Tab-separated table of all heavy atoms in Angstrom:
chain	number	residue	atom	x	y	z
S	1	MET	N	-14.877	17.617	3.307
S	1	MET	CA	-14.229	18.338	2.219
S	1	MET	C	-14.728	17.784	0.902
S	1	MET	O	-14.862	16.596	0.718
S	1	MET	CB	-12.715	18.149	2.358
S	1	MET	CG	-11.905	18.826	1.312
S	1	MET	SD	-11.955	20.576	1.580
S	1	MET	CE	-12.199	21.176	-0.027
S	2	ARG	N	-14.963	18.630	-0.009
S	2	ARG	CA	-15.430	18.191	-1.322
S	2	ARG	C	-14.249	17.720	-2.159
S	2	ARG	O	-13.328	18.475	-2.454
S	2	ARG	CB	-16.128	19.343	-2.007
S	2	ARG	CG	-17.377	19.734	-1.296
S	2	ARG	CD	-18.051	20.857	-2.081
S	2	ARG	NE	-19.069	21.431	-1.273
S	2	ARG	CZ	-19.037	22.665	-0.798
S	2	ARG	NH1	-18.049	23.459	-1.084
S	2	ARG	NH2	-20.016	23.107	-0.059
S	3	ALA	N	-14.289	16.467	-2.564
S	3	ALA	CA	-13.189	15.877	-3.333
S	3	ALA	C	-13.020	16.582	-4.670
S	3	ALA	O	-11.899	16.799	-5.126
S	3	ALA	CB	-13.441	14.389	-3.536
S	4	ARG	N	-14.117	16.948	-5.311
S	4	ARG	CA	-14.040	17.617	-6.610
S	4	ARG	C	-13.337	18.967	-6.485
S	4	ARG	O	-12.514	19.341	-7.311
S	4	ARG	CB	-15.433	17.793	-7.187
S	4	ARG	CG	-15.422	18.375	-8.584
S	4	ARG	CD	-16.800	18.450	-9.163
S	4	ARG	NE	-17.359	17.116	-9.245
S	4	ARG	CZ	-18.659	16.839	-9.260
S	4	ARG	NH1	-19.533	17.802	-9.214
S	4	ARG	NH2	-19.085	15.602	-9.327
S	5	GLU	N	-13.664	19.704	-5.425
S	5	GLU	CA	-13.037	21.002	-5.194
S	5	GLU	C	-11.524	20.849	-5.020
S	5	GLU	O	-10.741	21.603	-5.574
S	5	GLU	CB	-13.642	21.640	-3.945
S	5	GLU	CG	-13.136	23.010	-3.624
S	5	GLU	CD	-13.796	23.583	-2.390
S	5	GLU	OE1	-14.895	23.127	-2.024
S	5	GLU	OE2	-13.194	24.491	-1.791
S	6	TRP	N	-11.106	19.832	-4.265
S	6	TRP	CA	-9.679	19.608	-4.061
S	6	TRP	C	-9.014	19.199	-5.379
S	6	TRP	O	-7.930	19.672	-5.710
S	6	TRP	CB	-9.442	18.528	-3.004
S	6	TRP	CG	-7.998	18.446	-2.633
S	6	TRP	CD1	-7.377	19.117	-1.638
S	6	TRP	CD2	-6.987	17.687	-3.294
S	6	TRP	NE1	-6.044	18.823	-1.632
S	6	TRP	CE2	-5.772	17.949	-2.638
S	6	TRP	CE3	-6.973	16.817	-4.376
S	6	TRP	CZ2	-4.580	17.366	-3.022
S	6	TRP	CZ3	-5.774	16.244	-4.765
S	6	TRP	CH2	-4.604	16.523	-4.080
S	7	ALA	N	-9.658	18.320	-6.148
S	7	ALA	CA	-9.071	17.847	-7.405
S	7	ALA	C	-8.880	18.994	-8.400
S	7	ALA	O	-7.853	19.073	-9.074
S	7	ALA	CB	-9.939	16.751	-8.010
S	8	VAL	N	-9.846	19.892	-8.488
S	8	VAL	CA	-9.722	21.028	-9.405
S	8	VAL	C	-8.594	21.949	-8.948
S	8	VAL	O	-7.763	22.386	-9.747
S	8	VAL	CB	-11.059	21.795	-9.516
S	8	VAL	CG1	-10.878	23.110	-10.247
S	8	VAL	CG2	-12.094	20.934	-10.209
S	9	ALA	N	-8.538	22.237	-7.644
S	9	ALA	CA	-7.482	23.111	-7.129
S	9	ALA	C	-6.112	22.469	-7.329
S	9	ALA	O	-5.145	23.150	-7.692
S	9	ALA	CB	-7.719	23.410	-5.653
S	10	ALA	N	-5.999	21.159	-7.141
S	10	ALA	CA	-4.719	20.456	-7.306
S	10	ALA	C	-4.276	20.438	-8.762
S	10	ALA	O	-3.081	20.407	-9.053
S	10	ALA	CB	-4.826	19.038	-6.765
S	11	ALA	N	-5.221	20.465	-9.693
S	11	ALA	CA	-4.871	20.470	-11.114
S	11	ALA	C	-4.173	21.759	-11.518
S	11	ALA	O	-3.447	21.791	-12.502
S	11	ALA	CB	-6.120	20.254	-11.963
S	12	PHE	N	-4.368	22.827	-10.752
S	12	PHE	CA	-3.791	24.121	-11.088
S	12	PHE	C	-2.720	24.574	-10.103
S	12	PHE	O	-2.416	25.747	-10.029
S	12	PHE	CB	-4.901	25.173	-11.183
S	12	PHE	CG	-5.849	24.897	-12.305
S	12	PHE	CD1	-7.055	24.275	-12.057
S	12	PHE	CD2	-5.524	25.218	-13.608
S	12	PHE	CE1	-7.939	24.001	-13.093
S	12	PHE	CE2	-6.386	24.945	-14.651
S	12	PHE	CZ	-7.598	24.336	-14.392
S	13	GLY	N	-2.163	23.648	-9.334
S	13	GLY	CA	-1.099	23.983	-8.391
S	13	GLY	C	-1.388	23.450	-7.004
S	13	GLY	O	-2.105	22.472	-6.836
S	14	ASP	N	-0.843	24.118	-6.037
S	14	ASP	CA	-0.997	23.727	-4.644
S	14	ASP	C	-2.388	24.129	-4.155
S	14	ASP	O	-2.737	25.310	-4.193
S	14	ASP	CB	0.081	24.419	-3.808
S	14	ASP	CG	0.052	24.012	-2.358
S	14	ASP	OD1	-0.649	23.041	-2.008
S	14	ASP	OD2	0.731	24.676	-1.562
S	15	PRO	N	-3.210	23.169	-3.683
S	15	PRO	CA	-4.568	23.507	-3.237
S	15	PRO	C	-4.613	24.554	-2.122
S	15	PRO	O	-5.570	25.324	-2.043
S	15	PRO	CB	-5.130	22.175	-2.742
S	15	PRO	CG	-4.349	21.149	-3.477
S	15	PRO	CD	-2.979	21.729	-3.651
S	16	THR	N	-3.581	24.631	-1.286
S	16	THR	CA	-3.594	25.616	-0.200
S	16	THR	C	-3.516	27.046	-0.734
S	16	THR	O	-3.930	27.969	-0.044
S	16	THR	CB	-2.446	25.355	0.789
S	16	THR	OG1	-1.198	25.370	0.100
S	16	THR	CG2	-2.614	24.008	1.481
S	17	GLU	N	-3.026	27.227	-1.948
S	17	GLU	CA	-3.002	28.557	-2.560
S	17	GLU	C	-4.411	29.060	-2.891
S	17	GLU	O	-4.617	30.250	-3.081
S	17	GLU	CB	-2.159	28.543	-3.840
S	17	GLU	CG	-0.693	28.285	-3.605
S	17	GLU	CD	0.076	28.145	-4.893
S	17	GLU	OE1	-0.521	28.284	-5.984
S	17	GLU	OE2	1.285	27.870	-4.815
S	18	TYR	N	-5.374	28.143	-2.971
S	18	TYR	CA	-6.761	28.490	-3.293
S	18	TYR	C	-7.664	28.347	-2.067
S	18	TYR	O	-8.870	28.154	-2.189
S	18	TYR	CB	-7.274	27.592	-4.426
S	18	TYR	CG	-6.437	27.704	-5.675
S	18	TYR	CD1	-5.470	26.753	-5.976
S	18	TYR	CD2	-6.590	28.775	-6.542
S	18	TYR	CE1	-4.689	26.857	-7.118
S	18	TYR	CE2	-5.822	28.894	-7.679
S	18	TYR	CZ	-4.870	27.936	-7.959
S	18	TYR	OH	-4.091	28.047	-9.076
S	19	ASP	N	-7.074	28.412	-0.883
S	19	ASP	CA	-7.803	28.279	0.388
S	19	ASP	C	-8.505	26.940	0.544
S	19	ASP	O	-9.541	26.844	1.199
S	19	ASP	CB	-8.809	29.422	0.567
S	19	ASP	CG	-8.124	30.771	0.671
S	19	ASP	OD1	-7.012	30.826	1.242
S	19	ASP	OD2	-8.690	31.756	0.188
S	20	VAL	N	-7.962	25.900	-0.073
S	20	VAL	CA	-8.458	24.537	0.095
S	20	VAL	C	-7.469	23.836	1.019
S	20	VAL	O	-6.266	23.836	0.747
S	20	VAL	CB	-8.539	23.801	-1.266
S	20	VAL	CG1	-8.954	22.367	-1.083
S	20	VAL	CG2	-9.501	24.531	-2.192
S	21	PRO	N	-7.936	23.262	2.134
S	21	PRO	CA	-6.994	22.637	3.070
S	21	PRO	C	-6.240	21.469	2.436
S	21	PRO	O	-6.758	20.778	1.554
S	21	PRO	CB	-7.876	22.142	4.210
S	21	PRO	CG	-9.268	22.394	3.837
S	21	PRO	CD	-9.306	23.164	2.564
S	22	ALA	N	-5.016	21.273	2.895
S	22	ALA	CA	-4.197	20.149	2.403
S	22	ALA	C	-4.801	18.833	2.880
S	22	ALA	O	-5.459	18.772	3.920
S	22	ALA	CB	-2.771	20.292	2.919
S	23	LEU	N	-4.587	17.784	2.103
S	23	LEU	CA	-5.079	16.463	2.502
S	23	LEU	C	-4.299	15.955	3.711
S	23	LEU	O	-3.088	16.168	3.805
S	23	LEU	CB	-4.917	15.466	1.354
S	23	LEU	CG	-5.830	15.660	0.163
S	23	LEU	CD1	-5.483	14.646	-0.919
S	23	LEU	CD2	-7.276	15.509	0.568
S	24	PRO	N	-4.970	15.260	4.613
S	24	PRO	CA	-4.255	14.706	5.760
S	24	PRO	C	-3.367	13.535	5.331
S	24	PRO	O	-3.616	12.903	4.291
S	24	PRO	CB	-5.377	14.225	6.678
S	24	PRO	CG	-6.543	13.999	5.785
S	24	PRO	CD	-6.399	14.973	4.658
S	25	THR	N	-2.355	13.265	6.117
S	25	THR	CA	-1.488	12.120	5.853
S	25	THR	C	-2.041	10.922	6.613
S	25	THR	O	-2.226	10.983	7.825
S	25	THR	CB	-0.055	12.417	6.332
S	25	THR	OG1	0.388	13.612	5.694
S	25	THR	CG2	0.886	11.286	5.978
S	26	TRP	N	-2.330	9.842	5.892
S	26	TRP	CA	-2.893	8.653	6.505
S	26	TRP	C	-1.901	7.512	6.427
S	26	TRP	O	-1.079	7.422	5.529
S	26	TRP	CB	-4.156	8.208	5.791
S	26	TRP	CG	-5.299	9.147	5.910
S	26	TRP	CD1	-5.420	10.197	6.773
S	26	TRP	CD2	-6.482	9.125	5.129
S	26	TRP	NE1	-6.617	10.819	6.573
S	26	TRP	CE2	-7.292	10.182	5.573
S	26	TRP	CE3	-6.938	8.321	4.115
S	26	TRP	CZ2	-8.531	10.448	5.028
S	26	TRP	CZ3	-8.171	8.584	3.574
S	26	TRP	CH2	-8.956	9.633	4.023
S	27	ARG	N	-2.040	6.610	7.358
S	27	ARG	CA	-1.252	5.380	7.383
S	27	ARG	C	-2.236	4.235	7.112
S	27	ARG	O	-3.301	4.172	7.716
S	27	ARG	CB	-0.608	5.244	8.764
S	27	ARG	CG	0.363	4.126	8.882
S	27	ARG	CD	1.016	4.123	10.273
S	27	ARG	NE	0.078	3.646	11.278
S	27	ARG	CZ	-0.425	4.381	12.266
S	27	ARG	NH1	-0.104	5.636	12.400
S	27	ARG	NH2	-1.275	3.872	13.133
S	28	VAL	N	-1.897	3.350	6.185
S	28	VAL	CA	-2.748	2.208	5.854
S	28	VAL	C	-2.118	0.961	6.450
S	28	VAL	O	-0.933	0.702	6.252
S	28	VAL	CB	-2.893	2.041	4.323
S	28	VAL	CG1	-3.759	0.846	3.999
S	28	VAL	CG2	-3.443	3.302	3.697
S	29	GLU	N	-2.927	0.197	7.180
S	29	GLU	CA	-2.438	-1.028	7.803
S	29	GLU	C	-3.259	-2.207	7.303
S	29	GLU	O	-4.467	-2.108	7.180
S	29	GLU	CB	-2.550	-0.926	9.324
S	29	GLU	CG	-1.759	0.215	9.906
S	29	GLU	CD	-1.999	0.376	11.394
S	29	GLU	OE1	-2.857	-0.340	11.956
S	29	GLU	OE2	-1.336	1.231	11.997
S	30	ARG	N	-2.580	-3.295	6.999
S	30	ARG	CA	-3.266	-4.524	6.582
S	30	ARG	C	-2.886	-5.640	7.540
S	30	ARG	O	-1.722	-5.829	7.856
S	30	ARG	CB	-2.861	-4.925	5.173
S	30	ARG	CG	-3.488	-4.064	4.121
S	30	ARG	CD	-3.472	-4.806	2.791
S	30	ARG	NE	-4.180	-4.061	1.790
S	30	ARG	CZ	-5.456	-4.261	1.482
S	30	ARG	NH1	-6.139	-5.176	2.107
S	30	ARG	NH2	-6.035	-3.551	0.553
S	31	GLY	N	-3.904	-6.391	7.990
S	31	GLY	CA	-3.676	-7.515	8.887
S	31	GLY	C	-3.391	-8.784	8.107
S	31	GLY	O	-3.531	-8.842	6.875
S	32	ALA	N	-3.010	-9.822	8.796
S	32	ALA	CA	-2.697	-11.106	8.166
S	32	ALA	C	-3.932	-11.736	7.520
S	32	ALA	O	-3.828	-12.459	6.532
S	32	ALA	CB	-2.101	-12.061	9.196
S	33	ASP	N	-5.115	-11.459	8.064
S	33	ASP	CA	-6.358	-12.022	7.539
S	33	ASP	C	-7.000	-11.165	6.459
S	33	ASP	O	-8.121	-11.415	6.047
S	33	ASP	CB	-7.362	-12.213	8.676
S	33	ASP	CG	-6.880	-13.227	9.707
S	33	ASP	OD1	-6.081	-14.102	9.338
S	33	ASP	OD2	-7.307	-13.123	10.874
S	34	GLY	N	-6.310	-10.092	6.024
S	34	GLY	CA	-6.853	-9.207	5.011
S	34	GLY	C	-7.550	-7.991	5.589
S	34	GLY	O	-8.170	-7.231	4.864
S	35	ASP	N	-7.501	-7.830	6.921
S	35	ASP	CA	-8.084	-6.651	7.561
S	35	ASP	C	-7.447	-5.401	6.983
S	35	ASP	O	-6.303	-5.410	6.562
S	35	ASP	CB	-7.841	-6.660	9.066
S	35	ASP	CG	-8.421	-7.895	9.747
S	35	ASP	OD1	-9.070	-8.696	9.066
S	35	ASP	OD2	-8.215	-8.029	10.959
S	36	LEU	N	-8.190	-4.322	6.981
S	36	LEU	CA	-7.710	-3.051	6.451
S	36	LEU	C	-8.084	-1.950	7.434
S	36	LEU	O	-9.211	-1.902	7.918
S	36	LEU	CB	-8.353	-2.767	5.089
S	36	LEU	CG	-7.996	-1.468	4.393
S	36	LEU	CD1	-6.530	-1.481	3.984
S	36	LEU	CD2	-8.877	-1.279	3.183
S	37	ALA	N	-7.121	-1.071	7.744
S	37	ALA	CA	-7.385	0.026	8.673
S	37	ALA	C	-6.659	1.278	8.199
S	37	ALA	O	-5.560	1.200	7.657
S	37	ALA	CB	-6.932	-0.342	10.075
S	38	PHE	N	-7.299	2.422	8.409
S	38	PHE	CA	-6.702	3.723	8.110
S	38	PHE	C	-6.522	4.470	9.423
S	38	PHE	O	-7.446	4.543	10.227
S	38	PHE	CB	-7.608	4.554	7.195
S	38	PHE	CG	-7.750	3.976	5.817
S	38	PHE	CD1	-8.820	3.170	5.489
S	38	PHE	CD2	-6.806	4.253	4.846
S	38	PHE	CE1	-8.959	2.650	4.221
S	38	PHE	CE2	-6.923	3.737	3.571
S	38	PHE	CZ	-8.006	2.935	3.258
S	39	ALA	N	-5.327	5.026	9.616
S	39	ALA	CA	-5.032	5.789	10.830
S	39	ALA	C	-4.323	7.075	10.448
S	39	ALA	O	-3.614	7.128	9.448
S	39	ALA	CB	-4.157	4.962	11.768
S	40	ALA	N	-4.526	8.100	11.245
S	40	ALA	CA	-3.806	9.360	11.036
S	40	ALA	C	-2.329	9.114	11.307
S	40	ALA	O	-1.965	8.292	12.152
S	40	ALA	CB	-4.348	10.439	11.953
S	41	ALA	N	-1.465	9.810	10.587
S	41	ALA	CA	-0.023	9.592	10.718
S	41	ALA	C	0.481	9.908	12.120
S	41	ALA	O	1.434	9.301	12.585
S	41	ALA	CB	0.726	10.428	9.692
S	42	ASP	N	-0.184	10.822	12.817
S	42	ASP	CA	0.281	11.226	14.140
S	42	ASP	C	-0.449	10.518	15.287
S	42	ASP	O	-0.285	10.875	16.439
S	42	ASP	CB	0.153	12.740	14.304
S	42	ASP	CG	-1.267	13.224	14.090
S	42	ASP	OD1	-2.114	12.424	13.626
S	42	ASP	OD2	-1.533	14.403	14.394
S	43	ARG	N	-1.249	9.499	14.983
S	43	ARG	CA	-1.991	8.769	16.023
S	43	ARG	C	-1.794	7.274	15.855
S	43	ARG	O	-1.538	6.783	14.770
S	43	ARG	CB	-3.473	9.092	15.953
S	43	ARG	CG	-3.737	10.545	16.218
S	43	ARG	CD	-5.188	10.777	16.407
S	43	ARG	NE	-5.393	12.201	16.663
S	43	ARG	CZ	-6.518	12.702	17.030
S	43	ARG	NH1	-7.548	11.921	17.180
S	43	ARG	NH2	-6.629	13.989	17.247
S	44	ASP	N	-1.973	6.543	16.951
S	44	ASP	CA	-1.815	5.093	16.918
S	44	ASP	C	-3.112	4.373	16.564
S	44	ASP	O	-3.104	3.363	15.887
S	44	ASP	CB	-1.322	4.580	18.272
S	44	ASP	CG	0.091	5.043	18.578
S	44	ASP	OD1	0.853	5.278	17.622
S	44	ASP	OD2	0.428	5.177	19.766
S	45	GLU	N	-4.227	4.897	17.037
S	45	GLU	CA	-5.521	4.244	16.868
S	45	GLU	C	-6.117	4.547	15.491
S	45	GLU	O	-6.199	5.703	15.088
S	45	GLU	CB	-6.464	4.741	17.963
S	45	GLU	CG	-7.731	3.944	18.102
S	45	GLU	CD	-7.502	2.560	18.647
S	45	GLU	OE1	-6.521	2.337	19.356
S	45	GLU	OE2	-8.328	1.694	18.315
S	46	PRO	N	-6.550	3.513	14.726
S	46	PRO	CA	-7.179	3.773	13.434
S	46	PRO	C	-8.525	4.468	13.607
S	46	PRO	O	-9.230	4.238	14.581
S	46	PRO	CB	-7.355	2.395	12.819
S	46	PRO	CG	-7.033	1.408	13.844
S	46	PRO	CD	-6.420	2.099	15.007
S	47	PHE	N	-8.895	5.319	12.633
S	47	PHE	CA	-10.182	5.990	12.707
S	47	PHE	C	-11.253	5.243	11.924
S	47	PHE	O	-12.439	5.501	12.089
S	47	PHE	CB	-10.097	7.457	12.246
S	47	PHE	CG	-9.618	7.646	10.847
S	47	PHE	CD1	-10.481	7.597	9.789
S	47	PHE	CD2	-8.275	7.886	10.605
S	47	PHE	CE1	-10.047	7.785	8.496
S	47	PHE	CE2	-7.820	8.084	9.331
S	47	PHE	CZ	-8.707	8.035	8.273
S	48	ILE	N	-10.842	4.288	11.079
S	48	ILE	CA	-11.798	3.438	10.373
S	48	ILE	C	-11.107	2.117	10.053
S	48	ILE	O	-9.917	2.082	9.751
S	48	ILE	CB	-12.336	4.119	9.092
S	48	ILE	CG1	-13.512	3.332	8.530
S	48	ILE	CG2	-11.242	4.304	8.059
S	48	ILE	CD1	-14.295	4.068	7.469
S	49	ALA	N	-11.867	1.029	10.140
S	49	ALA	CA	-11.291	-0.300	9.890
S	49	ALA	C	-12.354	-1.208	9.281
S	49	ALA	O	-13.546	-1.009	9.492
S	49	ALA	CB	-10.764	-0.900	11.182
S	50	ALA	N	-11.904	-2.204	8.529
S	50	ALA	CA	-12.795	-3.197	7.937
S	50	ALA	C	-12.176	-4.571	8.122
S	50	ALA	O	-11.004	-4.767	7.832
S	50	ALA	CB	-13.005	-2.910	6.458
S	51	GLU	N	-12.973	-5.507	8.625
S	51	GLU	CA	-12.467	-6.868	8.833
S	51	GLU	C	-12.367	-7.644	7.537
S	51	GLU	O	-11.438	-8.401	7.346
S	51	GLU	CB	-13.367	-7.621	9.822
S	51	GLU	CG	-13.230	-7.119	11.235
S	51	GLU	CD	-14.080	-7.920	12.190
S	51	GLU	OE1	-14.640	-8.972	11.786
S	51	GLU	OE2	-14.177	-7.520	13.352
S	52	ARG	N	-13.355	-7.485	6.651
S	52	ARG	CA	-13.357	-8.194	5.382
S	52	ARG	C	-13.669	-7.232	4.239
S	52	ARG	O	-14.779	-7.249	3.704
S	52	ARG	CB	-14.396	-9.317	5.426
S	52	ARG	CG	-13.962	-10.472	6.321
S	52	ARG	CD	-15.055	-11.447	6.467
S	52	ARG	NE	-15.950	-10.893	7.499
S	52	ARG	CZ	-17.211	-11.231	7.669
S	52	ARG	NH1	-17.757	-12.116	6.914
S	52	ARG	NH2	-17.926	-10.661	8.610
S	53	PRO	N	-12.697	-6.403	3.837
S	53	PRO	CA	-12.980	-5.467	2.748
S	53	PRO	C	-13.157	-6.207	1.417
S	53	PRO	O	-12.578	-7.265	1.199
S	53	PRO	CB	-11.739	-4.579	2.725
S	53	PRO	CG	-10.667	-5.417	3.317
S	53	PRO	CD	-11.339	-6.312	4.323
S	54	VAL	N	-13.994	-5.642	0.556
S	54	VAL	CA	-14.217	-6.217	-0.776
S	54	VAL	C	-13.966	-5.145	-1.829
S	54	VAL	O	-14.129	-3.960	-1.580
S	54	VAL	CB	-15.643	-6.770	-0.915
S	54	VAL	CG1	-15.866	-7.932	0.029
S	54	VAL	CG2	-16.671	-5.710	-0.683
S	55	ARG	N	-13.577	-5.562	-3.014
S	55	ARG	CA	-13.386	-4.636	-4.122
S	55	ARG	C	-14.754	-4.273	-4.705
S	55	ARG	O	-15.637	-5.112	-4.799
S	55	ARG	CB	-12.551	-5.269	-5.216
S	55	ARG	CG	-11.107	-5.361	-4.859
S	55	ARG	CD	-10.314	-5.756	-6.109
S	55	ARG	NE	-8.920	-5.738	-5.819
S	55	ARG	CZ	-8.120	-4.718	-6.087
S	55	ARG	NH1	-8.601	-3.655	-6.682
S	55	ARG	NH2	-6.842	-4.759	-5.779
S	56	VAL	N	-14.888	-3.029	-5.093
S	56	VAL	CA	-16.113	-2.572	-5.731
S	56	VAL	C	-15.765	-1.841	-7.010
S	56	VAL	O	-14.664	-1.306	-7.147
S	56	VAL	CB	-16.939	-1.648	-4.811
S	56	VAL	CG1	-17.418	-2.396	-3.594
S	56	VAL	CG2	-16.147	-0.433	-4.413
S	57	ARG	N	-16.691	-1.849	-7.950
S	57	ARG	CA	-16.515	-1.093	-9.193
S	57	ARG	C	-17.367	0.139	-9.129
S	57	ARG	O	-18.479	0.108	-8.612
S	57	ARG	CB	-16.955	-1.942	-10.387
S	57	ARG	CG	-15.932	-2.893	-10.821
S	57	ARG	CD	-16.284	-3.607	-12.093
S	57	ARG	NE	-17.529	-3.167	-12.725
S	57	ARG	CZ	-18.186	-3.867	-13.617
S	57	ARG	NH1	-17.736	-5.032	-13.979
S	57	ARG	NH2	-19.289	-3.411	-14.149
S	58	ARG	N	-16.849	1.218	-9.661
S	58	ARG	CA	-17.634	2.449	-9.702
S	58	ARG	C	-18.102	2.671	-11.111
S	58	ARG	O	-17.475	2.427	-12.048
S	58	ARG	CB	-16.769	3.634	-9.289
S	58	ARG	CG	-16.530	3.637	-7.818
S	58	ARG	CD	-15.869	4.893	-7.437
S	58	ARG	NE	-16.828	5.973	-7.648
S	58	ARG	CZ	-16.608	7.218	-7.353
S	58	ARG	NH1	-15.489	7.559	-6.819
S	58	ARG	NH2	-17.491	8.146	-7.568
């Protein structure tokens, strides 16, 4: 999904009104060692994880 397309549609109301799918609901998990994982709200298994995430500047 194009993030820009969603952001523009969201600026003018509900994105689903413009045939842009709604964003999924994610669950964020952090481990004791700083691990980071993202999982779908309706699933137990994370779909992406990082053992040592770092901050980045854009």
Side-chain angles (χ1 to χ4, degrees):
M1 180 71 224
R2 294 182 193 113
R4 185 176 299 156
E5 183 179 338
W6 189 91
V8 169
F12 295 99
D14 183 11
T16 57
E17 294 174 2
Y18 302 100
D19 296 325
V20 176
L23 290 177
T25 304
W26 294 346
R27 187 177 74 246
V28 179
E29 300 174 355
R30 285 201 174 265
D33 296 334
D35 301 356
L36 179 67
F38 293 96
D42 57 350
R43 297 191 180 189
D44 293 332
E45 193 69 26
F47 59 86
I48 191 167
E51 289 183 9
R52 288 173 279 160
V54 295
R55 286 191 175 263
V56 296
R57 279 187 4 198
R58 286 188 68 176

